[in-house]
Amino acid sequence: VQVAIKGALVDAKINLIPVRRGYWGNKIGSVHTVPSKVTGKCGSVRVRLVPAPRGTGIVGAPCSKKILQFAGIDDCYTSSMGCTRTVENFCKATYDALTHTYGYLSPDFWISP
């Protein structure tokens, strides 16, 4: 059992991803939501994360809510399509949507010559 737990810890440390966070309106205070609309897919499940105003909280299913809280996102709207009853695909689709937050370059990160 100890070998399985150790292997799971190593696998989890290898699969860490950076999550970009952003603002909904003005850039006042700390970042609190996803930077823009992002979509993740796993199997037939599609999850869409939409930025939300400060104080909204995470509007979504308990599974996606836990994943987004672990990622450090405080406010977010979620939308899901497909057979979300399969919890594994639903969680993986949420994880995939979070990986897409670093999939593009926003104007904040443009390097000026």
Side-chain angles (χ1 to χ4, degrees):
V1 175
Q2 185 180 6
V3 176
I5 293 172
K6 202 174 266 191
L9 283 173
V10 168
D11 188 44
K13 288 177 183 178
I14 288 173
N15 290 322
L16 282 177
I17 57 163
V19 176
R20 182 183 293 170
R21 297 180 300 157
Y23 300 96
W24 182 76
N26 296 334
K27 295 183 179 179
I28 299 172
S30 61
V31 290
H32 61 95
T33 186
V34 289
S36 66
K37 297 176 186 175
V38 287
T39 305
K41 183 178 187 316
C42 180
S44 69
V45 181
R46 288 181 189 269
V47 172
R48 185 177 189 209
L49 304 178
V50 181
R54 192 178 302 276
T56 303
I58 299 172
V59 180
C63 174
S64 60
K65 191 179 286 193
K66 285 182 184 176
I67 293 173
L68 293 172
Q69 284 174 345
F70 283 136
I73 293 175
D74 300 325
D75 308 302
C76 184
Y77 295 124
T78 62
S79 170
S80 57
M81 294 173 281
C83 186
T84 57
R85 201 167 175 184
T86 54
V87 178
E88 184 178 349
N89 286 348
F90 186 54
C91 291
K92 283 184 180 179
T94 306
Y95 181 83
D96 187 46
L98 286 174
T99 61
H100 289 297
T101 57
Y102 262 98
Y104 62 92
L105 217 69
S106 62
D108 302 343
F109 292 97
W110 291 353
I111 299 172
S112 57

